[in-house]
Amino acid sequence: MSAQPNTEFTGNGPDNFNKETNGNSPLNREMTHEEHQTAKAAAHFGYGPLAHVNTSAGGERLPAFGGEFQPGLYKQVKDRGIANPAPLGLCAFALTTFVLGLINMGTRGLSAPNIVVALAFGYGGLIQLLAGMWEMAVGNTFGATALSSYGGFWLSFAIILTPGGFDIEATLTAASPNAFADEFGLFLMGWFIFTTILLFCTLRSTVAFFTLFFTLDMAFMLLGIGYLHRDAAGAPNPPVIKAGGFFALLAAFLAWYNALAGIADDSNSFFIVPVAHFPWSVKAMQEKGKLDADGNKMA
């Protein structure tokens, strides 16, 4: 009875090769030129599946990366039993924000955001909240906090604006003509403060990740101001609301961009999505030889 081949794959860095063992006879297969170039380019960008960072030794750490929803140097959870939930949460956030941003910009004469309520409940709310819980399961505190919180934002947004459902807007307007706009403006300003806190945590990450939170921060601020600083008729200030919608639209596309960077790998993509590490980030400092693989200063 013949022994079954035993195949072991090791060395997934750009300068290594796959090692196959068939019985007691080692067979080494070097990378093709195309595989080598792809791996080198991925390692240069230093993120995601294309980076092929081997963490089996236990000491290696991965650089900040929007596709993993990680703003700083981190170590992957050993034997992670679930897939990376960040792209799912980013896509849920992106589509819901995209639709609301277009409505706030008055696209095709639209003004009422009621159509986004279904997305806010089902995709931006529920799915993003689940993604945040899965981020907690893989040990990503930032991702769990951000995705779960924005999932809660969309759920609360949907509760406020459900037509004929919770009657929050009608009840506040009956009490005072400006009550709903004032309270909704304060609601948005609270989310502006929260997003600013998260923005500070992305300053050492990547340009793509930082820009996502910056545009979202501007969107919350402008929309909050638009509701608090109304026009002569007492309606939310149209130019400010449109400006907020524009930044929300930018945030949506940046969320999709970071999601693509987390989804694309050498099994499904012919290209690498650059995320541009800041010059002062750990990844850039490592490339300059100022920090070691664990982020410590070189002697």
Side-chain angles (χ1 to χ4, degrees):
M1 184 175 180
S2 60
Q4 295 295 322
N6 179 23
T7 303
E8 178 188 7
F9 296 95
T10 61
N12 48 9
D15 296 320
N16 294 320
F17 52 85
N18 287 336
K19 179 181 177 182
E20 300 181 0
T21 305
N22 188 350
N24 295 322
S25 301
L27 298 175
N28 294 334
R29 182 183 71 82
E30 293 188 0
M31 284 185 181
T32 65
H33 176 73
E34 181 180 343
E35 290 172 337
H36 185 77
Q37 293 303 315
T38 301
K40 282 184 66 177
H44 174 71
F45 286 116
Y47 66 90
L50 285 179
H52 293 301
V53 178
N54 183 5
T55 58
S56 60
E60 297 84 351
R61 293 179 178 270
L62 303 182
F65 171 48
E68 291 271 359
F69 226 77
Q70 270 285 358
L73 192 71
Y74 71 105
K75 183 178 178 181
Q76 281 187 330
V77 176
K78 186 178 180 181
D79 300 326
R80 180 168 68 181
I82 62 175
N84 174 20
L88 175 62
L90 285 165
C91 288
F93 172 84
L95 181 55
T96 317
T97 306
F98 171 77
V99 175
L100 183 60
L102 289 175
I103 293 173
N104 284 331
M105 291 182 68
T107 305
R108 300 183 65 87
L110 298 173
S111 58
N114 292 342
I115 193 65
V116 83
V117 168
L119 273 174
F121 270 125
Y123 197 35
L126 176 61
I127 298 301
Q128 194 174 181
L129 178 62
L130 288 173
M133 294 297 99
W134 290 323
E135 286 283 10
M136 193 168 294
V138 301
N140 183 359
T141 302
F142 181 91
T145 302
L147 292 178
S148 300
S149 295
Y150 289 126
F153 163 76
W154 284 118
L155 288 172
S156 59
F157 178 89
I159 289 170
I160 292 170
L161 297 180
T162 296
F166 297 90
D167 261 349
I168 294 175
E169 182 175 1
T171 302
L172 290 173
T173 303
S176 171
N178 296 326
F180 174 75
D182 284 337
E183 293 194 21
F184 195 64
L186 295 175
F187 169 80
L188 292 169
M189 293 304 289
W191 284 102
F192 161 68
I193 295 170
F194 172 73
T195 306
T196 302
I197 293 171
L198 296 184
L199 180 67
F200 290 147
C201 296
T202 66
L203 290 173
R204 297 182 64 188
S205 61
T206 65
V207 175
F209 203 40
F210 169 82
T211 310
L212 163 61
F213 281 90
F214 176 77
T215 53
L216 179 60
D217 209 25
M218 292 298 100
F220 277 128
M221 182 186 71
L222 290 168
L223 292 173
I225 292 173
Y227 275 89
L228 293 172
H229 188 268
R230 294 174 290 278
D231 61 11
N237 197 307
V240 181
I241 294 296
K242 285 186 177 181
F246 173 74
F247 275 101
L249 206 59
L250 288 178
F253 280 106
L254 284 163
W256 271 320
Y257 185 88
N258 280 275
L260 175 60
I263 296 171
D265 61 22
D266 50 3
S267 71
N268 58 32
S269 177
F270 292 103
F271 60 89
I272 299 167
V273 181
V275 292
H277 291 268
F278 281 121
W280 53 84
S281 67
V282 172
K283 173 65 178 176
M285 298 288 279
Q286 286 173 337
E287 290 180 347
K288 294 175 184 177
K290 296 182 179 180
L291 298 177
D292 61 18
D294 292 325
N296 301 317
K297 288 185 178 181
M298 298 289 285

